[in-house]
Amino acid sequence: MRLVILDDYDLASEWAAKYIRNRIIQFKPTAERCFTLGLPTGSTPYSCYQKLIEYYRSGDISFKYVKTFNMDEYVGLPRAHPESYHSYMWNNFFKHIDIDPANVHILDGNAEDLEAECQAYEDKIAEAGGIEMFVGGIGPDGHIAFNEPGSSLVSRTRVKTLAKDTIVANARFFGNDLSKVPSMALTVGVGTVMNAKEVVILITGAHKAFALYKAIEEGVNHMWTVSAFQQHPRTIFVCDEDATLELRVKTVKYFKGTSVLAVLLPGLSLSNCILCVCVCVLDISLQQLFQSTSHLIGVLMGTKRCVVWNLGKVGTGPTLDIKGVCMNKGWRCIMRPACVCIWQLIDCRSLLDVGYNKAKPCA
Amino acid sequence: MPSNKSVSDAPITQFVNCRILRGSRLQREDLWVRSGSILDPEKLFFDEQGYADDRVDCEGSIMAPGFIDVQINGGYGVDFSEASEDVSAGVSLVSKKILQHGVTSFCPTLVTSPAAVYHKVKVHDGGAHGAGVLGLHLEGPFISAEKKGAHPERFLRTFQAGGIDDLMAAYGSLDNVAMVTLAPELAGSQSVVRELCRRGVTVSLGHSVANLSQAEEAVDQGASFITHLFNAMLPFHHRDPGIVGLLTSDRVPSGRTVFYGMIADGIHTNPAALRIAHRAHPEGLVLVTDAIMAMGLPPGRRTLGQQVIEIQGLHAYVAGTKTLSGSIATMDTCVRHFKHATGCSVEEALEAASLHPAQLLRLHHKGNLDYGSDADLVLLDDDLNLKATFISGEEVWKKAP
């Protein structure tokens, strides 16, 4: 598992959105080979969707060849109801982007035969070639989608009765009237999500901290269904500081230490970069690295290892003039403080994993 | 992409980059139109898996429902009340010209005239040819002699024997009539009000010396509008507010609203009076132009109905007097002036010219941008200057660059 810890909700959302964006770009989806994306709803991914819309508007990404499969939908709620997950996805995502409506799949909670609907959904996922990346959230009771405590860890898409915790958590969307919250939902199973090639779980807020602790620091347990992803080969948990409040300091330090920083110079956009070479450089002084103007510099936090990328031509863009970078966490400030740059994470283990952390000016 | 819309193959237009007036707020939303009606894009997306065929970039403009003018006597040299061979040509000319003022539907108004003049003008939809005709507004002849304003006295009438029969004798037919203005203090008028409402005609009170109870009685019988508030009626008095008192009357049946027309040209009503009315009863305010044939023409002497009038700048008087004859302000000018004088919000100003007149005439598919409504729209800049007018989703006028 990867645990990526960002300072706050906005940064966590931005990281996740950039990750999703870059994955889609890297995949190079076409009409014959769509990128299948599993999607969540709720307040946690809201900002992530906003960011993805931003990237679409600025031309960084197109959703034309992206197929989406939502995790769940309430049973018996009219599709046009403002709290239905259809409405959520339309208002917060689909209406702002260029996705083909035929590529959008959301479970129909008003279907005549709910079981047939669930089976058909599984078939559609299989037809689409499986899910490339499933994005999800976590409930305060540790559930993924509506796989409430006690759900089989190999379950498939099915009808579920919602747990009290979930109904209480969702009441705020129904005027705090518990009786108005639907009591049943259609949901993808834990097994369905486990079948995805990659899973990204977004967890933000102190109220999710205990669930995160149970999910990653305790055993695999059907009472905390997210824990099933301990057995998935490629899961990333993206969280903010608050969500880590119940974790052991050791866990947090370990995962923070493995993140990589890189400078993305002002004026330079992702599309201008040409990644050519990834080189691990050990124990070279920062001074020498920063003198070079044709490289993006990456620094492994907590260690002295650096990663260097050869940038290549940027065309008529601004020249790569590294003014200097100021960091905390034990690094000596060797240059005057520069502007706060957006940092793009590049992991030398897998070239195109992306994420970031914001540099702080040193005291 | 090939068409895969299940409901209809008609092209779908998506207006992007606009702030639409919906739910009394300006919202940053796209507006979707198909076959002249506003479409629910969410239904289109999920039910039909449909998408837009064309996109119109509104460049950040405000998008409001098209304006509805329920009191307009003519313009551009055309006087609706003048007996002529070719009535429809005159109405067509005006309907085409007022598109540039943002008016997409209107009620051609006929002032007190001899019986022969009440010819028929047909109700018809708007389009590239001009704004839609919702029906005639018959202002008089059953009005008060003391408050005739510019109406010629010799043609005024009263209800003699049969009430509604007198009315039918005067007008000929009520087909294509949307509204009638009468004075409720006239004997026999209450049964006429009742009968007109029963037939679906909106009844308006005006050119009258009625006191408040007579006015309230008429509202009880179904009257729902006041013709140009303050003008041609008794002034507000604190012990008998007269027709003006309807704005705050507690005898208006619940669930009903009394609407009132205001000519917000800065001349017919002092801005302070406009503010008093607006603050007392904002939901009932309907902007009207009461424009006369001289609207759109250069200054000088002209004929209105059976009288001669004189235009001086923005004022139009009965020739040789200081009696106001009607206004020559355009609807969009009225909207801007109304907003400026009352300090109301953009949404309120726009609703006074679109939603309220539609509510008055009980037209649910006009005056709003809800799903299923007619796509009669105007695009405006932040100062409420018109940029373009659309009827049924088609552009019918655009401001020259």
Side-chain angles (χ1 to χ4, degrees):
Chain A
M1 138 187 112
R2 263 180 84 181
L3 182 64
V4 177
I5 304 166
L6 287 309
D7 283 346
D8 58 33
Y9 172 69
D10 290 321
L11 290 174
S13 305
E14 195 174 344
W15 193 103
K18 282 189 170 167
Y19 188 83
I20 297 168
R21 173 195 72 185
N22 292 343
R23 270 265 176 266
I24 296 175
I25 293 173
Q26 173 202 354
F27 188 88
K28 294 195 184 52
T30 62
E32 292 79 36
R33 189 173 152 264
C34 285
F35 185 93
T36 42
L37 188 58
L39 293 176
T41 51
S43 47
T44 306
Y46 176 78
S47 189
C48 180
Y49 284 130
Q50 297 282 299
K51 283 280 166 206
L52 284 170
I53 293 165
E54 224 178 274
Y55 303 147
Y56 161 70
R57 287 203 180 124
S58 60
D60 287 344
I61 184 174
S62 162
F63 290 90
K64 197 153 175 235
Y65 300 121
V66 173
K67 274 204 175 115
T68 64
F69 287 88
N70 264 68
M71 289 187 134
D72 42 24
E73 174 62 285
Y74 289 116
V75 166
L77 200 61
R79 200 201 59 215
H81 190 283
E83 290 303 327
S84 80
Y85 288 167
H86 281 81
S87 294
Y88 178 99
M89 291 307 298
W90 167 253
N91 284 311
N92 296 321
F93 197 44
F94 297 143
K95 80 174 173 197
H96 304 281
I97 56 173
D98 64 343
I99 193 162
D100 182 349
N103 282 341
V104 166
H105 302 96
I106 308 181
L107 285 156
D108 178 7
N110 293 300
E112 288 287 323
D113 184 345
L114 294 175
E115 280 182 31
E117 169 72 12
C118 293
Q119 183 55 50
Y121 204 68
E122 288 279 343
D123 295 339
K124 279 183 215 149
I125 293 176
E127 250 175 78
I131 309 268
E132 195 62 35
M133 180 197 288
F134 223 122
V135 182
I138 186 176
D141 58 1
H143 70 228
I144 175 100
F146 276 132
N147 291 290
E148 308 287 50
S151 294
S152 159
L153 297 179
V154 293
S155 49
R156 311 303 306 183
T157 307
R158 67 218 184 286
V159 186
K160 280 294 285 186
T161 308
L162 303 187
K164 186 67 183 233
D165 272 343
T166 306
I167 293 180
V168 167
N170 286 356
R172 67 183 195 272
F173 300 122
F174 292 86
N176 283 317
D177 184 351
L178 293 182
S179 63
K180 292 220 165 66
V181 185
S183 55
M184 296 210 296
L186 300 181
T187 177
V188 293
V190 182
T192 318
V193 184
M194 283 286 284
N195 282 155
K197 292 206 186 63
E198 181 170 16
V199 178
V200 176
I201 314 258
L202 275 163
I203 306 173
T204 55
H207 59 299
K208 301 279 172 82
F210 191 72
L212 178 60
Y213 149 67
K214 280 289 187 187
I216 65 175
E217 284 189 338
E218 298 276 300
V220 173
N221 187 328
H222 68 171
M223 283 306 184
W224 302 89
T225 48
V226 179
S227 61
F229 295 94
Q230 293 177 24
Q231 299 198 299
H232 189 284
R234 208 179 160 76
T235 299
I236 304 180
F237 288 89
V238 183
C239 36
D240 62 358
E241 290 280 352
D242 283 348
T244 62
L245 286 174
E246 295 282 355
L247 298 179
R248 289 155 102 196
V249 175
K250 187 157 105 177
T251 312
V252 173
K253 280 198 163 174
Y254 173 72
F255 285 104
K256 278 191 175 169
T258 61
S259 30
V260 181
L261 282 170
V263 175
L264 183 67
L265 298 163
L268 194 64
S269 72
L270 175 64
S271 53
N272 282 337
C273 293
I274 304 166
L275 291 167
C276 299
V277 162
C278 171
V279 172
C280 272
V281 179
L282 294 170
D283 287 330
I284 286 184
S285 79
L286 289 172
Q287 190 89 32
Q288 276 176 291
L289 284 174
F290 288 159
Q291 269 164 9
S292 164
T293 57
S294 63
H295 297 77
L296 262 185
I297 309 300
V299 180
L300 270 167
M301 289 290 279
T303 74
K304 288 203 176 105
R305 283 193 295 158
C306 299
V307 182
V308 179
W309 296 265
N310 206 337
L311 270 177
K313 288 260 180 255
V314 186
T316 55
T319 53
L320 307 173
D321 188 13
I322 303 178
K323 297 263 187 227
V325 168
C326 194
M327 299 173 288
N328 61 3
K329 313 238 185 211
W331 287 98
R332 220 168 27 96
C333 175
I334 55 162
M335 302 274 213
R336 56 187 161 81
C339 57
V340 176
C341 313
I342 302 296
W343 297 64
Q344 183 188 15
L345 282 178
I346 300 192
D347 180 347
C348 63
R349 283 187 309 259
S350 79
L351 248 177
L352 290 151
D353 282 350
V354 202
Y356 74 90
N357 205 327
K358 200 150 106 175
K360 291 191 199 90
C362 49
Chain B
M1 287 193 270
S3 166
N4 56 5
K5 287 163 265 189
S6 53
V7 171
S8 146
D9 265 336
I12 295 175
T13 309
Q14 182 186 2
F15 292 85
V16 300
N17 245 336
C18 47
R19 287 165 286 154
I20 70 172
L21 177 63
R22 187 180 276 163
S24 301
R25 294 186 303 118
L26 281 181
Q27 307 179 17
R28 188 109 201 155
E29 288 282 349
D30 294 344
L31 191 96
W32 298 61
V33 176
R34 173 163 64 187
S35 303
S37 288
I38 298 172
L39 196 57
D40 181 348
E42 189 176 345
K43 267 196 160 146
L44 175 73
F45 188 85
F46 288 123
D47 283 341
E48 300 182 50
Q49 297 188 339
Y51 41 83
D53 298 290
D54 305 299
R55 276 196 175 81
V56 174
D57 187 356
C58 301
E59 294 161 357
S61 311
I62 293 173
M63 177 185 282
F67 300 147
I68 300 173
D69 194 353
V70 301
Q71 186 161 6
I72 168 171
N73 307 287
Y76 297 92
V78 172
D79 175 4
F80 297 142
S81 304
E82 194 181 326
S84 89
E85 295 295 319
D86 196 0
V87 171
S88 34
V91 173
S92 299
L93 174 74
V94 174
S95 70
K96 176 99 183 154
K97 289 288 190 184
I98 56 179
L99 292 176
Q100 59 190 287
H101 308 146
V103 178
T104 53
S105 306
F106 70 114
C107 296
T109 306
L110 301 187
V111 300
T112 298
S113 302
V117 176
Y118 291 110
H119 36 250
K120 286 183 201 133
V121 170
K122 296 262 183 296
V123 169
H124 66 76
D125 291 335
H129 53 272
V133 172
L134 297 171
L136 289 172
H137 175 176
L138 303 177
E139 193 184 4
F142 298 97
I143 55 174
S144 157
E146 291 163 61
K147 289 290 177 189
K148 63 185 187 296
H151 294 222
E153 182 152 9
R154 62 193 184 286
F155 297 122
L156 299 184
R157 293 177 64 137
T158 55
F159 298 111
Q160 300 296 343
I164 189 72
D165 297 330
D166 289 312
L167 191 130
M168 296 304 290
Y171 296 143
S173 156
L174 285 177
D175 303 339
N176 301 300
V177 171
M179 191 170 357
V180 169
T181 293
L182 49 75
E185 73 276 17
L186 293 179
S189 61
Q190 300 303 345
S191 63
V192 174
V193 172
R194 194 169 54 239
E195 180 59 23
L196 280 171
C197 292
R198 197 188 65 80
R199 296 192 193 196
V201 175
T202 304
V203 174
S204 181
L205 309 178
H207 287 278
S208 155
V209 294
N211 59 32
L212 181 57
S213 10
Q214 287 163 332
E216 283 169 338
E217 175 67 33
V219 170
D220 234 5
Q221 301 296 334
S224 51
F225 195 50
I226 302 172
T227 301
H228 45 56
L229 186 79
F230 297 128
N231 299 104
M233 58 186 65
L234 290 176
F236 174 85
H237 183 281
H238 56 286
R239 275 193 295 277
D240 189 351
I243 292 176
V244 179
L246 284 176
L247 263 58
T248 48
S249 163
D250 56 358
R251 275 197 49 197
V252 174
S254 78
R256 285 188 45 205
T257 307
V258 173
F259 292 92
Y260 56 99
M262 299 274 348
I263 308 172
D265 62 351
I267 296 159
H268 280 72
T269 308
N270 185 295
L274 179 60
R275 282 190 287 274
I276 287 177
H278 173 248
R279 286 180 205 177
H281 183 37
E283 322 76 77
L285 201 149
V286 171
L287 290 174
V288 299
T289 58
D290 199 13
I292 55 172
M293 82 188 264
M295 187 256 294
L297 295 179
R301 276 194 169 215
R302 297 278 184 274
T303 313
L304 167 69
Q306 312 292 322
Q307 294 204 318
V308 186
I309 50 124
E310 183 152 355
I311 299 147
Q312 298 165 13
L314 278 177
H315 294 68
Y317 299 106
V318 177
T321 72
K322 277 292 169 195
T323 306
L324 290 169
S325 163
S327 100
I328 50 176
T330 61
M331 184 56 109
D332 57 317
T333 307
C334 291
V335 172
R336 284 190 296 274
H337 178 266
F338 170 62
K339 177 173 184 302
H340 176 75
T342 58
C344 68
S345 64
V346 165
E347 293 91 333
E348 280 183 280
L350 294 171
E351 284 191 334
S354 56
L355 177 67
H356 295 169
Q359 287 172 332
L360 164 69
L361 296 175
R362 296 174 306 278
L363 298 168
H364 303 293
H365 293 303
K366 293 214 185 287
N368 62 69
L369 297 180
D370 300 335
Y371 302 138
S373 289
D374 296 344
D376 296 344
L377 338 148
V378 285
L379 290 178
L380 309 131
D381 65 20
D382 286 349
D383 296 321
L384 301 185
N385 295 307
L386 270 178
K387 291 167 85 168
T389 307
F390 293 77
I391 291 184
S392 295
E394 302 293 331
E395 187 181 270
V396 293
W397 177 80
K398 189 179 175 127
K399 182 171 177 176

